[in-house]
Amino acid sequence: MLLPRIDLKRDFDRHRDEYLSAIEKVCVETAYSGGRFADEFAKEFAGYCNVKYCTGVNNGTTALQAAMIALGVGAGDEVIVPANTYIATAWGVTHAGATPVFADCTADTWEIDPDRIEEKITDRTKGIIGVHLYGQPFDFKRVKEIADRHSLFVVEDCAQAHGALFEGKRVGSLGDIGCFSFYPGKNLYAFGEGGACTSDNEEYIDTINVLKNQGCRVRYYHERVGYNMRLEGIQGAVLSVSLKYLDGWTKRRQEIGERYCREITNDKFILQAHPANTTPVYHLFEVQVPDPEDFLRYMGEHDVECNRHYPVPCHLQKAYSDLGYRQGDCPNAEKLADHCATLPLFPEMSDDEVSLVIDLCNRY
Ligand SMILES: *Cc1c(COP(=O)(O)O)cnc(C)c1O
């Protein structure tokens, strides 16, 4: 393949010495699980997100689960979640013992539709998880208005949107808790698994600190049923290196994303809307095409790798078949699932590679 959908090797090659010496420091101190390097990164990331508190965890899925537990979600509760997201948004709710209730996305931003939320609220509803999907912030203001009207929490799933802005504010600083993933390939990523929760509420982060650490503050004294959700020291050290480059990477993602938006003019493609009060960070560049499998084949024949996010919406996944959703329940999410294709986008792409993708799309 001439051009992969994403190529992490280019980042490693460019900053190899810095990454390896950061890892070596962790090894020298054997600070492998939690510890100084994980905690230092969490502090830096709180600063980056402009929140008072941040705690590192072992991945984005557990960040969501821990956030749910910290907010008091449990058996019998419901949490409203977009139908169009990576499935882990919903796992966080299910793993806390509650039920995800899927709401459709809008036809243009492909983010959770504020007009489809209120009809899903019952007396069991505890909160809403909005997802800043593909790096595009959801309409936080309208979601928050609805949440406040019904005394619900808002959790932000920021796994795809590190550094994105909604009305000038960083994602992760808007809702009650922000949940991040540092899975390889996310805009900020670890060399393995990683995640974090951000908040201005000390109590929530304190609870997550206890939960993630086997339910204890003092070793071997367990004050509640806990989990092992600690961030590894090596991941913290790698993330501290990467965080220094995040703004540069974001700028490059924005250049590429904006070129795609401007220069892909073939009317076979429908692109995501980016409202003026948001600053997206272009995690995945998703397009809708009439026949995505045909498009993937065409791009592959020209040595450009594309893939799809996500071919099945959450409410129609087999894992949730017991919830009783049917085709037609979330038509916008279903249309997106049927037609989505993901173009190559990563910060190290050259201008020529970006031009190649645009050219191929326009000739399709
Ligand atoms: C990646 C992702 C997650 C899960 O993060 P992991 O670190 O892979 O567990 C959750 N939500 C969204 C929207 C994601 O893209």
Side-chain angles (χ1 to χ4, degrees), residues 59-61 64 85-86 88-89 131 157 159-160 181 183 186 194 310:
N59 59 65
T61 308
L64 287 153
T85 181
Y86 181 56
T89 310
V131 183
D157 181 339
Q160 303 193 358
S181 163
Y183 178 79
K186 306 284 179 168
Y310 298 93

Side-chain angles (χ1 to χ4, degrees), residues 128-144:
I128 303 162
I129 306 179
V131 183
H132 305 297
L133 199 67
Y134 314 133
Q136 170 58 48
F138 68 87
D139 189 345
F140 180 78
K141 199 190 213 164
R142 287 198 57 208
V143 170
K144 174 73 174 154

Side-chain angles (χ1 to χ4, degrees), residues 27 68 81 96 106 111 130 136 144 165 189 193 213 240 257 277 321 341 351 359:
C27 299
M68 291 301 109
V81 169
T106 71
E111 306 291 336
Q136 170 58 48
K144 174 73 174 154
L165 305 174
Y189 69 94
E193 308 285 342
N213 196 28
S240 286
N277 61 346
S321 57
D351 288 341
D359 200 47

Side-chain angles (χ1 to χ4, degrees), residues 34-57 180 182 188 195-199 205 208-209 212 230-233 235-241 243:
R36 174 161 92 81
F37 297 94
D39 292 344
E40 277 167 14
F41 165 71
K43 207 169 281 171
E44 291 161 11
F45 196 61
Y48 182 83
C49 294
N50 206 13
V51 292
K52 290 196 191 125
Y53 310 102
C54 171
T55 186
V57 294
F180 287 85
F182 307 118
L188 179 69
C197 294
T198 56
S199 184
I205 298 300
I208 294 168
N209 274 327
K212 77 173 186 182
R230 289 178 297 257
L231 181 66
E232 294 183 352
Q235 307 310 340
V238 166
L239 286 161
S240 286
V241 172
L243 185 58

